Amino acid sequence: MEHIASTGGCNGGFLDAAGMKGFMIGRRGAMLGATALAAGLILPRSALRAAPAPRTYSLNPAPARQRLNGPQWPETEVWGYNGGVPGPTIRVKQGETLEVAVTNGLKEPTTVHWHGVRLPNAMDGVPYLTQPPIAPGETFTYTFAPPDAGTYWYHSHFNSPEQIGRGLYGALIVEETTPPDVDRDIVWVVDDWRLDKDGRIDPNFAQPMDLGHDGRIGNTATINGGSPEAVPVRAGERIRLRLINAANARIFALEFGALKPLLIARDGHPTGPSELTGPVVLAPAQRADLILDMTGRPGDRVDVVDGRYGVNRRFRLTTLAYGPDAPATADRRRPFAGLPANPLPTLDLAAARKLDVVLEGGMHTAMESATLHGRTVDIRTLFRAGKMWAINRQIGDAEHKDHGPLLVEARRGETVAFDIANRSMFDHPMHLHGFPFRILERDGRPEPRQPWADTVLIAPESRARVAFLAEAAGDWLFHCHILEHHLAGMGAVLRVS
Ligand code: C2O
Ligand code: CU
């Protein structure tokens, strides 16, 4: 059940070079060869083989029209990549080079961020901090080779509440060299929208109520930019379901009825398969990969329900509808073997640079003042200016060139540990650019399996201890992925040199 627009897909002429064990040398390899010849160098064969042609895509962010909410609703004017929401699903093999040319068809600047991917700082897509914004009509080409397999996503990082809120996002799938044995691999990018009764997007993207509370929670939830009444499945099949939460602020907690989803990855990284005992909680920007064994009978139906915001606000996202066909495979009950590990770094926790990170602000805060652009300002003045959140009593500025206070400076290769305390009455999914972190503890208790993640949801009055390797040089953003919280101050910069 994917109706993702697939225009602008792969047009790399040497697409199969990697698949053919690298014996064909692509454009990159040929260039490398020519340069080497010119310089009079002799390169070992392996150096040539290591550089097959990149996989190329083009993305064109621009206004588009789309029916978000089923046939009885009017079309909505959205902003999409290549004519729809979500943008094309970008697929690349682990380690393969990706080249994405972004041509801005909007009336305002934009950038693209590759959420969760380890890449050079200049490719990270944060306006001013890592690149100049892409002006209307201009093209910027992103090039990087994702080292880790898994489920990632891309999205605008300019005027994010509005650009992501209007639909500028898509899935980025980094395929394992040997993909696991499943019958189908399905991507669901879930979102929620604030629409009026004519299906128009509410144009007020910075309402003080949203900034100071839970962010812009909408009234219409979508899967891949639509509202499928039912998603067809087949009895007996094994599905890998990749869930991505692209919402500005809504946290999903998805229940799959009698099915017993197996969690196999979080934020792209394998977790070791574990049967879920509760709903799949997905804060903005988080991903979960599930194995769904369709153990029902032909004709059965399973509602996928969101129950995050209490009994009165439960809703059915869609229904998995078994077709009439007899089971696809006689016996698919063998255990799922798990995913191959990603080449993640080793952390030196004993020598880690430690930092306390305190999240404060929002309605009913006890914080009386905070620092904005180096000046201490009282909370009332800050609230009136739409600045409502602070990290270590410092207010970030997502719209300013420096993006806000320097949180910490680290040396390249250093392990850094953040002890993050949420001293507010609201949830914060905190995201670090550049480096995945391990969640070591929550509220002082060791986190089971200490999973890798790039976004950690921290509940009100709770804490989480995370650690990561400051692997690559540059200025990297650390911010709340409730986009209204980031806009209202909840962002800071980690400098690695
Ligand atoms: Cu999903 Cu600053 O990013
Ligand atoms: Cu937040």
Side-chain angles (χ1 to χ4, degrees):
M1 170 69 242
E2 268 185 278
H3 36 99
I4 289 176
S6 56
T7 39
C10 183
N11 50 21
F14 295 98
L15 173 63
D16 291 332
M20 296 181 67
K21 300 205 165 54
F23 290 119
M24 283 174 62
I25 295 166
R27 189 156 56 82
R28 274 295 167 90
M31 277 162 52
L32 180 57
T35 314
L37 278 178
L41 298 171
I42 298 163
L43 286 173
R45 263 192 99 82
S46 59
L48 294 179
R49 282 207 300 271
R55 222 175 236 239
T56 60
Y57 282 82
S58 49
L59 291 178
N60 181 217
R65 301 188 68 78
Q66 189 156 318
R67 218 172 281 282
L68 297 172
N69 204 7
Q72 66 283 21
W73 274 64
E75 282 188 327
T76 297
E77 185 168 319
V78 298
W79 293 354
Y81 292 110
N82 303 1
V85 178
T89 294
I90 294 181
R91 284 184 178 268
V92 61
K93 278 241 182 287
Q94 184 172 15
E96 194 178 35
T97 298
L98 185 63
E99 219 176 76
V100 187
V102 178
T103 302
N104 185 2
L106 303 169
K107 290 201 181 75
E108 61 184 52
T110 195
T111 59
V112 178
H113 170 58
W114 312 92
H115 184 113
V117 177
R118 290 194 281 160
L119 39 60
N121 190 254
M123 295 294 123
D124 197 42
V126 181
Y128 307 111
L129 197 64
T130 70
Q131 69 169 105
I134 310 168
E138 279 186 358
T139 299
F140 182 91
T141 301
Y142 294 89
T143 311
F144 52 93
D148 304 312
T151 304
Y152 303 89
W153 66 302
Y154 60 92
H155 60 75
S156 157
H157 217 294
F158 189 96
N159 184 18
S160 309
E162 177 163 13
Q163 292 198 5
I164 298 177
R166 290 188 184 275
L168 289 174
Y169 57 77
L172 168 58
I173 306 301
V174 184
E175 294 167 344
E176 294 84 10
T177 332
T178 315
D181 177 23
V182 295
D183 296 308
R184 280 197 295 155
D185 184 321
I186 300 178
V187 182
W188 282 7
V189 190
V190 297
D191 191 4
D192 108 295
W193 307 72
R194 192 178 285 178
L195 304 178
D196 70 14
K197 57 181 188 326
D198 298 315
R200 282 182 306 234
I201 296 173
D202 179 340
N204 187 349
F205 283 91
Q207 288 186 20
M209 270 298 277
D210 295 336
L211 300 181
H213 289 84
D214 275 319
R216 179 180 163 109
I217 308 263
N219 52 21
T220 305
T222 56
I223 298 175
N224 299 338
S227 301
E229 172 52 34
V231 173
V233 294
R234 181 169 183 183
E237 70 174 336
R238 174 168 277 178
I239 296 172
R240 177 183 190 167
L241 179 61
R242 302 174 187 259
L243 295 167
I244 302 169
N245 183 356
N248 283 34
R250 177 181 289 276
I251 300 168
F252 288 86
L254 299 178
E255 301 164 21
F256 291 82
L259 295 175
K260 293 198 171 57
L262 201 63
L263 177 71
I264 58 168
R266 268 279 183 192
D267 289 359
H269 300 290
T271 50
S274 58
E275 208 173 276
L276 284 165
T277 48
V280 185
V281 176
L282 274 187
Q286 289 186 319
R287 288 90 64 213
D289 285 38
L290 307 178
I291 291 292
L292 287 178
D293 279 329
M294 303 312 300
T295 47
R297 286 180 313 250
D300 282 356
R301 295 172 74 82
V302 179
D303 288 345
V304 181
V305 171
D306 178 274
R308 171 71 191 187
Y309 297 95
V311 274
N312 297 327
R313 291 162 78 192
R314 280 172 73 83
F315 68 92
R316 184 181 66 89
L317 184 63
T318 190
T319 296
L320 302 174
Y322 288 82
D325 296 349
T329 316
D331 186 16
R332 268 294 209 165
R333 303 294 141 73
R334 74 205 184 302
F336 180 76
L339 297 169
N342 279 329
L344 290 160
T346 312
L347 302 175
D348 184 356
L349 292 175
R353 176 183 297 258
K354 295 188 174 64
L355 186 76
D356 285 321
V357 178
V358 178
L359 314 175
E360 284 175 294
M363 288 306 170
H364 321 296
T365 182
M367 183 173 72
E368 283 168 4
S369 64
T371 308
L372 177 61
H373 298 306
R375 282 183 35 231
T376 304
V377 184
D378 72 278
I379 194 77
R380 270 191 208 86
T381 309
L382 288 171
F383 272 38
R384 273 199 302 276
K387 295 296 177 198
M388 309 200 179
W389 296 98
I391 299 177
N392 290 356
R393 291 278 160 107
Q394 309 219 67
I395 303 224
D397 190 344
E399 301 195 307
H400 191 267
K401 297 191 190 227
D402 70 7
H403 280 263
L406 210 51
L407 185 64
V408 60
E409 292 188 67
R411 278 191 322 278
R412 219 181 133 193
E414 196 171 27
T415 297
V416 182
F418 284 180
D419 202 331
I420 312 170
N422 177 358
R423 296 210 190 116
S424 80
M425 300 182 55
F426 302 90
D427 289 294
H428 302 294
M430 300 304 296
H431 169 49
L432 177 65
H433 283 225
F435 323 113
F437 47 73
R438 284 191 89 159
I439 305 174
L440 303 175
E441 284 176 17
R442 283 181 189 269
D443 296 318
R445 279 185 300 276
E447 178 76 349
R449 295 170 193 244
Q450 304 192 319
W452 290 89
D454 57 57
T455 306
V456 58
L457 177 61
I458 308 177
E461 301 299 339
S462 303
R463 16 187 347 121
R465 207 161 81 82
V466 305
F468 57 92
L469 187 76
E471 234 185 331
D475 282 356
W476 303 95
L477 214 52
F478 173 69
H479 65 92
C480 180
H481 223 288
I482 289 180
L483 303 175
E484 292 71 30
H485 289 180
H486 183 201
L487 177 70
M490 209 169 218
V493 173
L494 159 81
R495 177 164 296 163
V496 181
S497 43

